[in-house]
Amino acid sequence: MQVDSPRHLSHSSVQGISLRLILVVPFVLQILIAVGITGWLSLRHGQQAVNDLAMQLRIKTSEQVVHHLQDQLILPYQINQLNLDAIHAGLLDLQNFHELGRTFHFQMQVFGVGYINFANSKGEFIGVERLDNGRLVINETRLPRLSDMAIYQTDAQGNRVALEDVAIDEPPVVEEDWYADAVQAKIPVWSRIYQWDDKPEILSISSSYPVYDQNERLLGVIGVDVVLSSLSSFLQNLQLSPSGEIFITERNGLLVASSDAELPFTVDAEEAYRMHLFHSKNPLIRETAAHLLYRFGDLAEIQTTEQLQFTINGQKQFIQVTPWQDRHGLDWLVVIVVPESDFMEQIHANTRTTILLCLLSLGIAILLGLMTSRWISQRIQYLVTVSKKIANGQLDQTIEKNGIRELEDLSQSFNQMAIQLRASFTELEDRIAQRTAALLEAKTVAESANRAKSEFLKNMSHELRTPLNAILGIAQTFENNSSLTQEELEYLTVLNRNARRLLALINDLLEIAKIGMHEALSEKNQFDRDLNLRFVHQGRREEESLDHRLCLYLVQMPLEWILLLKQAAIKGFDREILQLVNQVPVDLEPLAASLTTWARDFRFDKVVELIQQFEEMDSSF
């Protein structure tokens, strides 16, 4: 046995130290450079990122709000135009309030508005209201009691099912804003934002259409209400900065909606008052309104989208003001204000986190580099020592020297172990061959046993299904016998249900037997097994469609033939079914194929079910 000399060990240790240095130094330098550049870039572009992010956020949020306004406030005019066209075409009778109520009820189910209504020139009113819980009710005022409003519960079709309440002392509908503004303008208009008389906490705006006859005589006004609280809910759900605010205001400074939880109105003694921007409890809304008035003098002077900045208590605020109008008179401002601190706080936190992570990564990288280099050097030297002991210096060296002592020793050791590994592999292959032969023999025995089991299950299920099908057929025949008493019918139902349950269990047993045989034959091909299982599931999904097509084929056969087929299926005579199948024309081949398969598989219940479906379809016609 060869023994290393002290000089040999000393030289190996020196080479190992140099190898660790070669591994550690470049690794640490790369991490240090990457960490330094990353930290510098993070600090350098932090402020620029804040400005860009704030602008992108304002633009994106403003676009979302404008699109939402366009989508929501176009719906009332579309609904009104639809109803107006129906009135002019004679499809909607303004005198038939029951039909109007059903029509409005259907439209309320389709469109997400708060109210659809009509009032004629006599002061009579019909409308469908969406309550807070989503339920729809019909409100109606008729002559001669125009001050009383009846409230009806409705079903899903808009029919009135019960009188829920009667609101008395209601003001004349012709004096309400949604009606009076449209009559005065004589064109489609938006009403002023107003409160509901019976619910002063609700502010809404109504799209009103005056309706005239061919002689330009006023018939009434149709209207659709949009509840402004839905706008506030939408603004609150937008993803803005933690302290940012979004609000919509009219040109006179009255608040329409905001992302703040504060309501855009106040309720005093059951009467709601619109809130002005300067009266808001939110300081950011108040200061923003003050800056806009200071900058433009009047909100009506803002005609284009403006990107502004101002400070509150030394904190910079970013503002975007976007005018929004529609062609029917709405003229609002969408204002988005975002404090710079919301972004800078995150930037500063990210910068501190980046620095800490960089230092932590650098320390971990250095530690891992030292540990890795030490581990590699020790493993290489360990493998060299072990390989020399195994080889015992008896084999020739074939790998050339490469200048690194550890790798030279490792190469020499692997050269010495190569011959022994080939011998070991040869012995291992022989053992594997023996084990494989034994496993193949065991597999063959197992497959034979599995096939015998599956065949037994299949035969037994076939033998059991024949009498069960006969029992089911007789039970189904007696179900239509009108002379049976109620108790006998109940017994017959129990018999039929239990027989079907037992037949289903036997069918499942047969399916298990088939699947077992299939798996035993296809274990060598995993792809074929998965494909066949997919066919089984696909066949179950298409079975219902196939039964419908077979009923259509069965309609084309003579009634006497169908009666004979039913009797044969009830009695469980497969040979008679096969003889009747021979009489099926060629163009009805799918029917013949299905009946043949069911008869051979003793699935007489399928034949009976098919004939029952045919009888139900025939009776419906």
Side-chain angles (χ1 to χ4, degrees), residues 481-537:
N481 192 338
S482 59
S483 63
L484 295 179
T485 64
Q486 183 63 30
E487 183 177 4
E488 290 172 341
L489 288 175
E490 291 179 358
Y491 290 155
L492 190 60
T493 302
V494 173
L495 174 63
N496 193 5
R497 182 172 62 251
N498 285 275
R500 285 184 176 275
R501 174 60 179 167
L502 184 56
L503 182 61
L505 293 175
I506 294 173
N507 290 336
D508 292 341
L509 185 62
L510 181 58
E511 291 296 329
I512 292 173
K514 291 181 179 179
I515 294 174
M517 293 178 64
H518 174 69
E519 291 179 349
L521 294 174
S522 60
E523 283 184 351
K524 299 179 180 179
N525 192 331
Q526 179 67 27
F527 175 78
D528 290 342
R529 179 168 69 252
D530 294 340
L531 184 60
N532 288 332
L533 287 177
R534 287 198 296 270
F535 287 160
V536 170
H537 294 303

Side-chain angles (χ1 to χ4, degrees), residues 5 19 113 125 156 160 199 229 370 400 405 430 480 613:
S5 64
L19 179 60
V113 295
F125 173 84
R160 309 177 189 193
K199 296 180 180 179
S229 59
L370 292 173
E400 297 181 356
R405 178 59 183 272
D430 294 337
N480 300 322
Q613 292 178 7

Side-chain angles (χ1 to χ4, degrees), residues 269-294:
E270 297 186 353
E271 186 173 1
Y273 298 91
R274 299 283 306 284
M275 179 181 295
H276 197 278
L277 295 177
F278 290 136
H279 298 156
S280 174
K281 296 180 181 179
N282 190 311
L284 190 57
I285 295 179
R286 292 199 310 270
E287 295 296 333
T288 301
H291 179 74
L292 292 177
L293 288 178
Y294 171 79

